[in-house]
């Protein structure tokens, strides 16, 4: 069953401007060390940050809250599997919200996809509840 869907579109040039103006203050407020390391290794640093920004916005929408009610930017973090597939991990209030919206005897799975075509970065997040296997 689908618990939530969220999407966001971010302007890469806007994120590049914020990075230029606010640098580490912005990076450290919004992105985890893992996200920062990934972005800084990439050729398109601003595009990588923009996709992750969009993913956090999309995740907050899928959680049904937007960026309010106690969710912090770093409560939602994008990393990648060895295959390159992006995955969303939630902690803090975002985790509490996810747990509260997940029915008993189900596990929550967060699906995330990212794309970009300059000057746009886009993310979709779908939160699925799967029944736990019978024991």
């Amino acid at each position: 069953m689908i618990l939530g869907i969220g999407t966001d579109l971010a302007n890469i040039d806007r994120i590049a401007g914020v990075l230029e103006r606010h640098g580490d203050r912005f990076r450290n407020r919004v992105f985890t060390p893992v996200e920062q390391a990934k972005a800084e290794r990439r050729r398109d640093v601003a595009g990588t940050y923009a996709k992750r920004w969009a993913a956090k916005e999309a995740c907050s929408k899928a959680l049904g809250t937007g960026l309010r009610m106690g969710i912090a930017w770093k409560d939602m973090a994008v990393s990648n599997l060895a295959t390159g597939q992006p995955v969303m991990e939630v902690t803090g209030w975002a985790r509490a919200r996810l747990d509260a919206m997940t029915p008993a005897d189900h596990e929550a799975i967060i699906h995330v996809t990212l794309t970009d075509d300059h000057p746009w970065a886009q993310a979709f997040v779908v939160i699925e509840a799967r029944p736990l296997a019978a024991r």
Side-chain angles (χ1 to χ4, degrees):
M1 109 182 46
I2 302 299
L3 297 179
I5 300 171
T7 185
D8 193 66
L9 184 66
N11 185 288
I12 296 169
D13 294 333
R14 179 175 163 258
I15 297 297
V18 173
L19 287 165
E20 189 174 306
R21 283 189 309 282
H22 300 288
D24 285 342
R25 188 170 139 226
F26 171 67
R27 283 182 196 91
N28 293 332
R29 179 173 166 250
V30 175
F31 302 100
T32 67
V34 170
E35 290 173 311
Q36 290 180 46
K38 173 77 171 186
E40 297 298 328
R41 285 193 310 267
R42 302 299 298 259
R43 185 179 62 214
D44 184 10
V45 172
T48 302
Y49 279 120
K51 285 187 281 190
R52 279 150 176 72
W53 171 280
K56 291 167 186 270
E57 287 274 6
C59 184
S60 71
K61 293 170 185 175
L63 289 168
T65 63
L67 286 161
R68 58 186 176 85
M69 296 177 60
I71 284 186
W73 286 103
K74 292 196 283 186
D75 283 350
M76 301 165 288
V78 178
S79 60
N80 296 83
L81 300 177
T83 60
Q85 177 184 348
V87 293
M88 177 70 69
E89 298 172 33
V90 292
T91 59
W93 197 93
R95 168 51 67 183
R97 172 70 180 149
L98 180 64
D99 291 346
M101 62 192 286
T102 304
D105 299 325
H106 285 71
E107 63 177 333
I109 310 294
I110 301 175
H111 304 277
V112 60
T113 186
L114 309 172
T115 191
D116 65 291
D117 186 6
H118 196 89
W120 301 107
Q122 186 173 33
F124 284 96
V125 170
V126 175
I127 301 175
E128 172 191 9
R130 287 187 190 160
L132 294 171
R135 297 179 189 181

